[in-house]
Amino acid sequence: MDELRTHHRTCPFCEATCGLQVQTRGREVVSVRGDADDVFSHGYICPKATALEYLAQDPDRLRTPMVRRDGVLTEATWEEALAEIDARLPAIIAEHGRDAVAIYMGNPGVHNLSGLLYNTVLLRALGSRNVYSASTVDQMPKQVSVGLMFGTMLSVPIPDVDRTDHLLVLGANPLVSNGSLLTAPDMRGRLRALRERGGKLVVVDPVHTRTAQIADEHHFVRPGADALLLFAMVNVLATEGRVDLGRLADHTAGVDVVTALAADFTPEAVASACGIPADTIRRMARELADAERAAVYGRVGSCTQEFGTLTSWLVDVLNVLTGNLDREGGAMFTLAAAGQRNSQGDRERPGRGKGVRFGRWASRVRGVPEVYGEFPAACLAEEIDTPGDGRVRALITIAGNPALSTPDAGRLDQAMRGLDLTICVDLYLNETTRHADVVLPVPDPLQRSHYDLAFAQLAVRNVANYSPAVLELADGMRHEWETMLRLAAIAGGQGADADLGALDEFVARTLIGLEQSVPGAPVAGRDPDELLAALAPRVGPERLLDLLLRVGPYGDHFGDRPDRLTLDRLLANPHGVDLGPLRPRIPEVLRTPSGMIELAPESIVADVARLRAALTRRSNGGMVLIGRRQLRSNNSWMHNLAPLVKGRDSCTMLVHPDDAARLGLVDGGFAKVSSTAGTVQVPVEVSDSIMLGVVSIPHGWGHDADGARMTVAAGHAGVNSNVLADGSQLDPLSGNAVLNGIPVEVAAI
Ligand SMILES: Nc1nc2c(c(=O)[nH]1)N[C@H]1C(S)=C(S)[C@@H](COP(=O)(O)OP(=O)(O)OC[C@H]3O[C@@H](n4cnc5c(=O)[nH]c(N)nc54)[C@H](O)[C@@H]3O)O[C@H]1N2
Ligand SMILES: Nc1nc2c(c(=O)[nH]1)N[C@H]1C(S)=C(S)[C@@H](COP(=O)(O)OP(=O)(O)OC[C@H]3O[C@@H](n4cnc5c(=O)[nH]c(N)nc54)[C@H](O)[C@@H]3O)O[C@H]1N2
Ligand code: SF4
Ligand SMILES: [Mo]
């Protein structure tokens, strides 16, 4: 019998990046527990962690490539699958051009070194403008606002929850989601500690959530009205002389523009639209200003709505105007060990950069501007089903399930049937991948190494933690990064048998070149061959990660600072390396062309007119739909794991008792919910935790599609809430979908 082995490994499922202790025997996972010695999570885990065990064994998970033969997806060898792609993809590019191939990248790619380091290789080889991702059904508004204010897309101020005295949370439920754009394992413990040291937690949400339950105060807000509330708080600060930027005053442009804009948004003017009384808004503003150390934090509910970018911007406007940005206990900038854009750039002129630019090209059908090289996911269906030159004819999905996750889901599902070629890189045959002509499987997460290149940049502490693969790669499986290189080679016209080693070396050399190109870079002027040799014998993601760590702010600079970080050093520290609490970084962190915090970016200022119009908009008294997350669920893709779906079905519509009575809805009965985009029938759950006039349905359900192979999920199918989301409704600056505050008709069945 194989011996029992213990591994330490970061959980790959959500942004909390908890440390796990995984026991294996041979290729079998015996147990998954919290790693008490993890420098960041100290043993905390949530119920999803144990799902790793079930995922490893799930018989439905794809273990070979699949190719469509005579209309049926059939098991195939890698050679057959790649030959099929090589026979069809370059031909489409040759005949219809590069933009005829669209790519959609889903959320798990951000939890995966392959996705983070090799998706761009495929994007470059493909050269298409039809790039889509889950970002535009999620955090794009925040990335736009921080890009304009601070200069890079991941310069997201992180609430310093461990040291703050006052935390205002809008549209986030970290006790269920475990935090987002806020990597902080055990948010319950951290928020409890905040209150125990006399701090105050205020939650603004249309639902009395689990997070609201442990807060000092909860305010119901009308979906989509957060920007009005926050502007009114700015108004109070300005009119009561409470604006105090402190140290930031010398580094901030546009304060007067913002306070002038706020003039129209008095607490009295916004109160009825938000559903929060004017004197409460005044008090909220005063308490925020008076708190010794405070932070404002907004997440999914503040982004995936009509005023996503304005709301995301106002969150940080308040952090700046109260002097809490970049201060201990306020909202701070992480300094991650690897790959953080706002720690790179011209070392001779730190604190300045190129800033960000959007709208360099526009989408074919609706003419919406590109943002960070992407079009809105809500535009994908129309780019496929609208005839004409430049139509999307092929789609590649990587770790995404847009058929459930993006708006107008019914239309996208139909549109996918009209594609000439669909290639999916995924773990499962699900609602999206069932449409594929070729599916390329990926290893179980435990069969790959892990490092949180993205989330370490969004963490409440500076932490670095690398985990090698726990399980051997299964027979016949290939590493996902190799698959991405194969696809890149095919898209680039090099065929299905290109020399992978040479391609990967080219990727490493390109990254070395990039790192060396910035003035004052730690490895500027060094011989690239020497650097490459120093990274040997590593290849793949490990080689790139070692490079990024070594040139990073804590890195050894390839021998210049020998005692500092390398991948070897992380390997020797399986519980992670703690690099300390967040420290003030302004002005060094800024990458705006002016070297200032841009408090009033032109495009955002121009969008305020739209918000002003909302002030006088009369509500027709109808119901609006929002979404929610669930503890034992992870978007759409973990519903095939029995322990996570056992018990009562959770895909229900929450409705307030008074609305239920008025509409004739009963708990456990069914409701028909219709919007401009579609209709679903869903079980009713009557609850006074939800605001009057609002109903909530979680996303990621609707597992009853023909041709999918998720047996357990099919037994708890639920409904696809994105059938109701109208893809024509976008936050204009970010192209983000409006997934909250959707007008709906609700009727009893
Ligand atoms: N109405 C509504 N819609 C929403 C939201 C909402 O709040 N309301 N939330 C939005 C948000 S925040 C997000 S992030 C999106 C998520 O949207 P998506 O990313 O499109 O969807 P997921 O459900 O995360 O699906 C992930 C896919 O990746 C596969 N997968 C898992 N691990 C791996 C891996 O390691 N490699 C590969 N190649 N594949 C893998 C899974 O099998 C699944 O097919 O949904 C959005 N949609
Ligand atoms: N268990 C679990 N954890 C997850 C996920 C999951 O599916 N399940 N998904 C992961 C992903 S991809 C992400 S992006 C994060 C998201 O993390 P969070 O942002 O914390 O996610 P939610 O729990 O959806 O919280 C959003 C809240 O916004 C509220 N809301 C809706 N509309 C509005 C509005 O207009 N204004 C305000 N103020 N509030 C509004 C909703 O009621 C809800 O409570 O979670 C991650 N973690
Ligand atoms: S909170 Fe997130 S990272 Fe932590 S164990 Fe749960 S799913 Fe994994
Ligand atoms: Mo997300």
Side-chain angles (χ1 to χ4, degrees), residues 48 107 138 171-173 176-177 180 204-207 209 221 223-224 226 299-301 626 629-631 633-635 740:
K48 287 205 297 280
N107 170 278
D138 188 349
N173 187 10
V176 167
S177 68
S180 179
V204 173
D205 197 300
V207 178
T209 58
V221 67
D226 304 82
R299 201 47 280 277
V300 154
I626 61 170
R629 277 175 169 70
Q630 300 162 301
L631 199 57
S633 176
N634 196 24
N635 299 322
N740 285 300

PDB file of all heavy atoms in Angstrom, residues 48 107 138 171-173 176-177 180 204-207 209 221 223-224 226 299-301 626 629-631 633-635 740, ligand 2:
ATOM      1  N   LYS A  48     -16.170  24.604   1.114  1.00  0.00           N
ATOM      2  CA  LYS A  48     -15.810  24.243  -0.263  1.00  0.00           C
ATOM      3  C   LYS A  48     -14.468  23.524  -0.357  1.00  0.00           C
ATOM      4  O   LYS A  48     -14.226  22.800  -1.313  1.00  0.00           O
ATOM      5  CB  LYS A  48     -15.759  25.495  -1.148  1.00  0.00           C
ATOM      6  CG  LYS A  48     -17.126  26.052  -1.475  1.00  0.00           C
ATOM      7  CD  LYS A  48     -17.106  26.854  -2.763  1.00  0.00           C
ATOM      8  CE  LYS A  48     -16.221  28.068  -2.673  1.00  0.00           C
ATOM      9  NZ  LYS A  48     -16.843  29.208  -1.986  1.00  0.00           N
ATOM     10  N   ASN A 107     -13.588  32.786 -14.849  1.00  0.00           N
ATOM     11  CA  ASN A 107     -13.035  33.108 -13.536  1.00  0.00           C
ATOM     12  C   ASN A 107     -11.952  32.145 -13.016  1.00  0.00           C
ATOM     13  O   ASN A 107     -10.935  32.611 -12.501  1.00  0.00           O
ATOM     14  CB  ASN A 107     -14.214  33.223 -12.552  1.00  0.00           C
ATOM     15  CG  ASN A 107     -13.769  33.309 -11.129  1.00  0.00           C
ATOM     16  OD1 ASN A 107     -13.487  32.302 -10.485  1.00  0.00           O
ATOM     17  ND2 ASN A 107     -13.675  34.518 -10.624  1.00  0.00           N
ATOM     18  N   ASP A 138     -18.364  41.283 -13.743  1.00  0.00           N
ATOM     19  CA  ASP A 138     -17.823  41.241 -12.391  1.00  0.00           C
ATOM     20  C   ASP A 138     -17.206  42.586 -12.013  1.00  0.00           C
ATOM     21  O   ASP A 138     -17.913  43.555 -11.757  1.00  0.00           O
ATOM     22  CB  ASP A 138     -16.815  40.075 -12.313  1.00  0.00           C
ATOM     23  CG  ASP A 138     -16.317  39.781 -10.921  1.00  0.00           C
ATOM     24  OD1 ASP A 138     -16.569  40.573 -10.016  1.00  0.00           O
ATOM     25  OD2 ASP A 138     -15.642  38.739 -10.723  1.00  0.00           O
ATOM     26  N   GLY A 171     -22.605  46.289  -1.117  1.00  0.00           N
ATOM     27  CA  GLY A 171     -22.726  45.293  -2.174  1.00  0.00           C
ATOM     28  C   GLY A 171     -21.709  44.180  -2.092  1.00  0.00           C
ATOM     29  O   GLY A 171     -21.241  43.692  -3.113  1.00  0.00           O
ATOM     30  N   ALA A 172     -21.383  43.784  -0.889  1.00  0.00           N
ATOM     31  CA  ALA A 172     -20.483  42.642  -0.699  1.00  0.00           C
ATOM     32  C   ALA A 172     -20.975  41.844   0.490  1.00  0.00           C
ATOM     33  O   ALA A 172     -21.524  42.414   1.430  1.00  0.00           O
ATOM     34  CB  ALA A 172     -19.061  43.122  -0.434  1.00  0.00           C
ATOM     35  N   ASN A 173     -20.753  40.566   0.429  1.00  0.00           N
ATOM     36  CA  ASN A 173     -21.183  39.690   1.518  1.00  0.00           C
ATOM     37  C   ASN A 173     -20.053  38.725   1.850  1.00  0.00           C
ATOM     38  O   ASN A 173     -20.146  37.527   1.609  1.00  0.00           O
ATOM     39  CB  ASN A 173     -22.452  38.947   1.081  1.00  0.00           C
ATOM     40  CG  ASN A 173     -23.063  38.153   2.207  1.00  0.00           C
ATOM     41  OD1 ASN A 173     -22.669  38.275   3.373  1.00  0.00           O
ATOM     42  ND2 ASN A 173     -24.032  37.306   1.870  1.00  0.00           N
ATOM     43  N   VAL A 176     -20.163  35.142   3.168  1.00  0.00           N
ATOM     44  CA  VAL A 176     -20.553  34.059   2.267  1.00  0.00           C
ATOM     45  C   VAL A 176     -19.522  33.899   1.146  1.00  0.00           C
ATOM     46  O   VAL A 176     -19.075  32.801   0.846  1.00  0.00           O
ATOM     47  CB  VAL A 176     -21.958  34.326   1.680  1.00  0.00           C
ATOM     48  CG1 VAL A 176     -22.245  33.393   0.516  1.00  0.00           C
ATOM     49  CG2 VAL A 176     -23.002  34.133   2.771  1.00  0.00           C
ATOM     50  N   SER A 177     -19.107  35.010   0.565  1.00  0.00           N
ATOM     51  CA  SER A 177     -18.194  34.931  -0.584  1.00  0.00           C
ATOM     52  C   SER A 177     -16.749  34.732  -0.146  1.00  0.00           C
ATOM     53  O   SER A 177     -15.894  34.401  -0.955  1.00  0.00           O
ATOM     54  CB  SER A 177     -18.280  36.216  -1.401  1.00  0.00           C
ATOM     55  OG  SER A 177     -17.745  37.305  -0.670  1.00  0.00           O
ATOM     56  N   SER A 180     -13.746  39.505  -1.837  1.00  0.00           N
ATOM     57  CA  SER A 180     -13.392  39.643  -3.247  1.00  0.00           C
ATOM     58  C   SER A 180     -12.794  41.023  -3.454  1.00  0.00           C
ATOM     59  O   SER A 180     -13.283  42.004  -2.882  1.00  0.00           O
ATOM     60  CB  SER A 180     -14.656  39.470  -4.085  1.00  0.00           C
ATOM     61  OG  SER A 180     -14.355  39.611  -5.447  1.00  0.00           O
ATOM     62  N   VAL A 204     -24.306  48.143   3.653  1.00  0.00           N
ATOM     63  CA  VAL A 204     -25.352  48.716   2.799  1.00  0.00           C
ATOM     64  C   VAL A 204     -25.686  47.682   1.731  1.00  0.00           C
ATOM     65  O   VAL A 204     -24.827  47.335   0.906  1.00  0.00           O
ATOM     66  CB  VAL A 204     -24.851  50.027   2.156  1.00  0.00           C
ATOM     67  CG1 VAL A 204     -25.863  50.550   1.144  1.00  0.00           C
ATOM     68  CG2 VAL A 204     -24.567  51.076   3.222  1.00  0.00           C
ATOM     69  N   ASP A 205     -26.893  47.143   1.774  1.00  0.00           N
ATOM     70  CA  ASP A 205     -27.228  46.014   0.898  1.00  0.00           C
ATOM     71  C   ASP A 205     -28.748  45.881   0.841  1.00  0.00           C
ATOM     72  O   ASP A 205     -29.411  46.061   1.866  1.00  0.00           O
ATOM     73  CB  ASP A 205     -26.588  44.728   1.487  1.00  0.00           C
ATOM     74  CG  ASP A 205     -26.507  43.587   0.482  1.00  0.00           C
ATOM     75  OD1 ASP A 205     -27.571  43.166  -0.006  1.00  0.00           O
ATOM     76  OD2 ASP A 205     -25.403  43.091   0.216  1.00  0.00           O
ATOM     77  N   PRO A 206     -29.319  45.544  -0.317  1.00  0.00           N
ATOM     78  CA  PRO A 206     -30.772  45.324  -0.372  1.00  0.00           C
ATOM     79  C   PRO A 206     -31.214  44.088   0.411  1.00  0.00           C
ATOM     80  O   PRO A 206     -32.422  43.819   0.504  1.00  0.00           O
ATOM     81  CB  PRO A 206     -31.066  45.125  -1.871  1.00  0.00           C
ATOM     82  CG  PRO A 206     -29.838  45.534  -2.593  1.00  0.00           C
ATOM     83  CD  PRO A 206     -28.692  45.423  -1.645  1.00  0.00           C
ATOM     84  N   VAL A 207     -30.238  43.348   0.932  1.00  0.00           N
ATOM     85  CA  VAL A 207     -30.547  42.140   1.700  1.00  0.00           C
ATOM     86  C   VAL A 207     -29.869  42.239   3.064  1.00  0.00           C
ATOM     87  O   VAL A 207     -28.748  42.749   3.176  1.00  0.00           O
ATOM     88  CB  VAL A 207     -30.051  40.875   0.953  1.00  0.00           C
ATOM     89  CG1 VAL A 207     -30.337  39.615   1.775  1.00  0.00           C
ATOM     90  CG2 VAL A 207     -30.702  40.771  -0.422  1.00  0.00           C
ATOM     91  N   THR A 209     -27.907  40.469   4.894  1.00  0.00           N
ATOM     92  CA  THR A 209     -27.055  39.310   4.621  1.00  0.00           C
ATOM     93  C   THR A 209     -26.417  38.779   5.902  1.00  0.00           C
ATOM     94  O   THR A 209     -26.519  39.392   6.964  1.00  0.00           O
ATOM     95  CB  THR A 209     -25.913  39.725   3.685  1.00  0.00           C
ATOM     96  OG1 THR A 209     -25.190  40.784   4.345  1.00  0.00           O
ATOM     97  CG2 THR A 209     -26.429  40.229   2.344  1.00  0.00           C
ATOM     98  N   VAL A 221     -30.658  49.349   0.759  1.00  0.00           N
ATOM     99  CA  VAL A 221     -30.514  50.364  -0.292  1.00  0.00           C
ATOM    100  C   VAL A 221     -31.223  49.858  -1.540  1.00  0.00           C
ATOM    101  O   VAL A 221     -31.226  48.653  -1.815  1.00  0.00           O
ATOM    102  CB  VAL A 221     -29.017  50.638  -0.582  1.00  0.00           C
ATOM    103  CG1 VAL A 221     -28.330  49.420  -1.203  1.00  0.00           C
ATOM    104  CG2 VAL A 221     -28.829  51.853  -1.491  1.00  0.00           C
ATOM    105  N   PRO A 223     -31.493  48.764  -5.161  1.00  0.00           N
ATOM    106  CA  PRO A 223     -30.449  48.310  -6.090  1.00  0.00           C
ATOM    107  C   PRO A 223     -30.086  49.412  -7.088  1.00  0.00           C
ATOM    108  O   PRO A 223     -30.971  50.075  -7.641  1.00  0.00           O
ATOM    109  CB  PRO A 223     -31.102  47.112  -6.783  1.00  0.00           C
ATOM    110  CG  PRO A 223     -32.057  46.572  -5.760  1.00  0.00           C
ATOM    111  CD  PRO A 223     -32.585  47.780  -5.048  1.00  0.00           C
ATOM    112  N   GLY A 224     -28.812  49.620  -7.271  1.00  0.00           N
ATOM    113  CA  GLY A 224     -28.334  50.612  -8.233  1.00  0.00           C
ATOM    114  C   GLY A 224     -28.239  52.021  -7.689  1.00  0.00           C
ATOM    115  O   GLY A 224     -27.812  52.923  -8.397  1.00  0.00           O
ATOM    116  N   ASP A 226     -26.424  53.083  -5.011  1.00  0.00           N
ATOM    117  CA  ASP A 226     -25.259  53.341  -4.158  1.00  0.00           C
ATOM    118  C   ASP A 226     -24.531  54.625  -4.521  1.00  0.00           C
ATOM    119  O   ASP A 226     -24.042  55.335  -3.641  1.00  0.00           O
ATOM    120  CB  ASP A 226     -24.264  52.179  -4.249  1.00  0.00           C
ATOM    121  CG  ASP A 226     -24.888  50.865  -3.907  1.00  0.00           C
ATOM    122  OD1 ASP A 226     -25.544  50.273  -4.794  1.00  0.00           O
ATOM    123  OD2 ASP A 226     -24.749  50.424  -2.764  1.00  0.00           O
ATOM    124  N   ARG A 299     -18.237  45.853  -3.533  1.00  0.00           N
ATOM    125  CA  ARG A 299     -17.897  44.718  -4.377  1.00  0.00           C
ATOM    126  C   ARG A 299     -19.038  44.362  -5.324  1.00  0.00           C
ATOM    127  O   ARG A 299     -19.761  45.243  -5.733  1.00  0.00           O
ATOM    128  CB  ARG A 299     -17.467  43.543  -3.467  1.00  0.00           C
ATOM    129  CG  ARG A 299     -16.611  42.438  -4.097  1.00  0.00           C
ATOM    130  CD  ARG A 299     -15.425  42.872  -4.943  1.00  0.00           C
ATOM    131  NE  ARG A 299     -15.741  43.278  -6.271  1.00  0.00           N
ATOM    132  CZ  ARG A 299     -15.918  42.457  -7.319  1.00  0.00           C
ATOM    133  NH1 ARG A 299     -15.793  41.172  -7.191  1.00  0.00           N
ATOM    134  NH2 ARG A 299     -16.202  42.938  -8.506  1.00  0.00           N
ATOM    135  N   VAL A 300     -19.248  43.115  -5.628  1.00  0.00           N
ATOM    136  CA  VAL A 300     -20.084  42.736  -6.769  1.00  0.00           C
ATOM    137  C   VAL A 300     -21.375  43.561  -6.915  1.00  0.00           C
ATOM    138  O   VAL A 300     -21.675  44.058  -7.988  1.00  0.00           O
ATOM    139  CB  VAL A 300     -20.399  41.224  -6.754  1.00  0.00           C
ATOM    140  CG1 VAL A 300     -21.691  40.908  -7.485  1.00  0.00           C
ATOM    141  CG2 VAL A 300     -19.278  40.463  -7.439  1.00  0.00           C
ATOM    142  N   GLY A 301     -22.104  43.733  -5.811  1.00  0.00           N
ATOM    143  CA  GLY A 301     -23.349  44.501  -5.892  1.00  0.00           C
ATOM    144  C   GLY A 301     -23.112  45.954  -6.264  1.00  0.00           C
ATOM    145  O   GLY A 301     -24.001  46.629  -6.781  1.00  0.00           O
ATOM    146  N   ILE A 626     -32.149  41.035  -8.120  1.00  0.00           N
ATOM    147  CA  ILE A 626     -30.705  41.043  -7.849  1.00  0.00           C
ATOM    148  C   ILE A 626     -30.233  39.587  -7.716  1.00  0.00           C
ATOM    149  O   ILE A 626     -31.053  38.663  -7.759  1.00  0.00           O
ATOM    150  CB  ILE A 626     -30.356  41.833  -6.556  1.00  0.00           C
ATOM    151  CG1 ILE A 626     -31.018  41.197  -5.331  1.00  0.00           C
ATOM    152  CG2 ILE A 626     -30.769  43.295  -6.693  1.00  0.00           C
ATOM    153  CD1 ILE A 626     -30.522  41.766  -4.011  1.00  0.00           C
ATOM    154  N   ARG A 629     -24.842  35.146  -3.579  1.00  0.00           N
ATOM    155  CA  ARG A 629     -23.949  33.998  -3.550  1.00  0.00           C
ATOM    156  C   ARG A 629     -24.291  33.092  -2.394  1.00  0.00           C
ATOM    157  O   ARG A 629     -24.941  33.511  -1.445  1.00  0.00           O
ATOM    158  CB  ARG A 629     -22.490  34.467  -3.446  1.00  0.00           C
ATOM    159  CG  ARG A 629     -21.974  34.806  -4.801  1.00  0.00           C
ATOM    160  CD  ARG A 629     -20.599  35.385  -4.818  1.00  0.00           C
ATOM    161  NE  ARG A 629     -20.134  35.416  -6.191  1.00  0.00           N
ATOM    162  CZ  ARG A 629     -20.613  36.227  -7.129  1.00  0.00           C
ATOM    163  NH1 ARG A 629     -21.554  37.092  -6.826  1.00  0.00           N
ATOM    164  NH2 ARG A 629     -20.152  36.168  -8.361  1.00  0.00           N
ATOM    165  N   GLN A 630     -23.831  31.849  -2.510  1.00  0.00           N
ATOM    166  CA  GLN A 630     -24.166  30.849  -1.501  1.00  0.00           C
ATOM    167  C   GLN A 630     -22.902  30.153  -1.036  1.00  0.00           C
ATOM    168  O   GLN A 630     -22.003  29.867  -1.834  1.00  0.00           O
ATOM    169  CB  GLN A 630     -25.133  29.844  -2.128  1.00  0.00           C
ATOM    170  CG  GLN A 630     -26.402  30.549  -2.590  1.00  0.00           C
ATOM    171  CD  GLN A 630     -27.191  29.733  -3.573  1.00  0.00           C
ATOM    172  OE1 GLN A 630     -26.683  29.385  -4.640  1.00  0.00           O
ATOM    173  NE2 GLN A 630     -28.425  29.426  -3.230  1.00  0.00           N
ATOM    174  N   LEU A 631     -22.858  29.886   0.264  1.00  0.00           N
ATOM    175  CA  LEU A 631     -21.641  29.383   0.889  1.00  0.00           C
ATOM    176  C   LEU A 631     -21.091  28.131   0.210  1.00  0.00           C
ATOM    177  O   LEU A 631     -19.899  27.995   0.008  1.00  0.00           O
ATOM    178  CB  LEU A 631     -21.929  29.100   2.370  1.00  0.00           C
ATOM    179  CG  LEU A 631     -20.700  29.016   3.272  1.00  0.00           C
ATOM    180  CD1 LEU A 631     -19.880  30.282   3.211  1.00  0.00           C
ATOM    181  CD2 LEU A 631     -21.117  28.724   4.706  1.00  0.00           C
ATOM    182  N   SER A 633     -21.369  27.029  -2.803  1.00  0.00           N
ATOM    183  CA  SER A 633     -21.465  27.095  -4.252  1.00  0.00           C
ATOM    184  C   SER A 633     -20.320  27.970  -4.745  1.00  0.00           C
ATOM    185  O   SER A 633     -19.772  28.773  -3.995  1.00  0.00           O
ATOM    186  CB  SER A 633     -22.818  27.718  -4.598  1.00  0.00           C
ATOM    187  OG  SER A 633     -22.941  27.892  -5.986  1.00  0.00           O
ATOM    188  N   ASN A 634     -19.919  27.809  -5.990  1.00  0.00           N
ATOM    189  CA  ASN A 634     -18.884  28.675  -6.548  1.00  0.00           C
ATOM    190  C   ASN A 634     -19.263  28.975  -7.985  1.00  0.00           C
ATOM    191  O   ASN A 634     -18.943  28.190  -8.878  1.00  0.00           O
ATOM    192  CB  ASN A 634     -17.522  27.996  -6.471  1.00  0.00           C
ATOM    193  CG  ASN A 634     -16.387  28.974  -6.667  1.00  0.00           C
ATOM    194  OD1 ASN A 634     -16.550  30.165  -6.423  1.00  0.00           O
ATOM    195  ND2 ASN A 634     -15.256  28.489  -7.120  1.00  0.00           N
ATOM    196  N   ASN A 635     -19.950  30.080  -8.192  1.00  0.00           N
ATOM    197  CA  ASN A 635     -20.489  30.389  -9.509  1.00  0.00           C
ATOM    198  C   ASN A 635     -21.194  29.146 -10.043  1.00  0.00           C
ATOM    199  O   ASN A 635     -21.987  28.552  -9.338  1.00  0.00           O
ATOM    200  CB  ASN A 635     -19.394  30.944 -10.418  1.00  0.00           C
ATOM    201  CG  ASN A 635     -18.822  32.233  -9.835  1.00  0.00           C
ATOM    202  OD1 ASN A 635     -19.552  33.033  -9.283  1.00  0.00           O
ATOM    203  ND2 ASN A 635     -17.529  32.423  -9.925  1.00  0.00           N
ATOM    204  N   ASN A 740     -27.702  43.408 -11.510  1.00  0.00           N
ATOM    205  CA  ASN A 740     -28.487  43.718 -10.309  1.00  0.00           C
ATOM    206  C   ASN A 740     -29.367  44.917 -10.594  1.00  0.00           C
ATOM    207  O   ASN A 740     -28.937  45.872 -11.232  1.00  0.00           O
ATOM    208  CB  ASN A 740     -27.548  44.029  -9.139  1.00  0.00           C
ATOM    209  CG  ASN A 740     -26.904  42.771  -8.581  1.00  0.00           C
ATOM    210  OD1 ASN A 740     -27.603  41.864  -8.133  1.00  0.00           O
ATOM    211  ND2 ASN A 740     -25.596  42.700  -8.653  1.00  0.00           N
TER     212      ASN A 740
HETATM  213  N1  LIG B   2     -19.448  30.784  -1.646  1.00  0.00           N
HETATM  214  C1  LIG B   2     -19.131  31.467  -2.740  1.00  0.00           C
HETATM  215  N2  LIG B   2     -18.067  32.282  -2.687  1.00  0.00           N
HETATM  216  C2  LIG B   2     -17.731  32.979  -3.786  1.00  0.00           C
HETATM  217  C3  LIG B   2     -18.406  32.844  -5.016  1.00  0.00           C
HETATM  218  C4  LIG B   2     -19.540  31.977  -5.039  1.00  0.00           C
HETATM  219  O1  LIG B   2     -20.213  31.819  -6.075  1.00  0.00           O
HETATM  220  N3  LIG B   2     -19.866  31.321  -3.887  1.00  0.00           N
HETATM  221  N4  LIG B   2     -18.026  33.559  -6.119  1.00  0.00           N
HETATM  222  C5  LIG B   2     -16.738  34.235  -6.091  1.00  0.00           C
HETATM  223  C6  LIG B   2     -16.709  35.356  -7.024  1.00  0.00           C
HETATM  224  S1  LIG B   2     -16.453  35.004  -8.658  1.00  0.00           S
HETATM  225  C7  LIG B   2     -16.839  36.652  -6.640  1.00  0.00           C
HETATM  226  S2  LIG B   2     -16.741  37.907  -7.792  1.00  0.00           S
HETATM  227  C8  LIG B   2     -17.006  37.017  -5.224  1.00  0.00           C
HETATM  228  C9  LIG B   2     -18.058  38.109  -4.974  1.00  0.00           C
HETATM  229  O2  LIG B   2     -18.056  38.459  -3.652  1.00  0.00           O
HETATM  230  P1  LIG B   2     -19.179  39.435  -3.040  1.00  0.00           P
HETATM  231  O3  LIG B   2     -19.194  40.703  -3.764  1.00  0.00           O
HETATM  232  O4  LIG B   2     -18.990  39.496  -1.577  1.00  0.00           O
HETATM  233  O5  LIG B   2     -20.467  38.609  -3.458  1.00  0.00           O
HETATM  234  P2  LIG B   2     -21.981  38.504  -3.111  1.00  0.00           P
HETATM  235  O6  LIG B   2     -22.158  37.546  -2.007  1.00  0.00           O
HETATM  236  O7  LIG B   2     -22.655  38.222  -4.400  1.00  0.00           O
HETATM  237  O8  LIG B   2     -22.389  39.917  -2.565  1.00  0.00           O
HETATM  238  C10 LIG B   2     -22.981  40.881  -3.327  1.00  0.00           C
HETATM  239  C11 LIG B   2     -24.000  41.578  -2.486  1.00  0.00           C
HETATM  240  O9  LIG B   2     -24.490  42.686  -3.211  1.00  0.00           O
HETATM  241  C12 LIG B   2     -25.841  42.862  -2.906  1.00  0.00           C
HETATM  242  N5  LIG B   2     -26.391  43.756  -3.930  1.00  0.00           N
HETATM  243  C13 LIG B   2     -27.008  43.460  -5.085  1.00  0.00           C
HETATM  244  N6  LIG B   2     -27.312  44.599  -5.754  1.00  0.00           N
HETATM  245  C14 LIG B   2     -26.868  45.630  -5.000  1.00  0.00           C
HETATM  246  C15 LIG B   2     -26.872  47.038  -5.143  1.00  0.00           C
HETATM  247  O10 LIG B   2     -27.330  47.604  -6.141  1.00  0.00           O
HETATM  248  N7  LIG B   2     -26.288  47.765  -4.152  1.00  0.00           N
HETATM  249  C16 LIG B   2     -25.759  47.190  -3.033  1.00  0.00           C
HETATM  250  N8  LIG B   2     -25.216  47.971  -2.120  1.00  0.00           N
HETATM  251  N9  LIG B   2     -25.774  45.856  -2.878  1.00  0.00           N
HETATM  252  C17 LIG B   2     -26.288  45.089  -3.844  1.00  0.00           C
HETATM  253  C18 LIG B   2     -26.379  41.468  -2.840  1.00  0.00           C
HETATM  254  O11 LIG B   2     -27.566  41.440  -2.082  1.00  0.00           O
HETATM  255  C19 LIG B   2     -25.215  40.725  -2.168  1.00  0.00           C
HETATM  256  O12 LIG B   2     -25.392  40.642  -0.778  1.00  0.00           O
HETATM  257  O13 LIG B   2     -17.342  35.874  -4.472  1.00  0.00           O
HETATM  258  C20 LIG B   2     -16.450  34.786  -4.708  1.00  0.00           C
HETATM  259  N10 LIG B   2     -16.685  33.827  -3.684  1.00  0.00           N
END
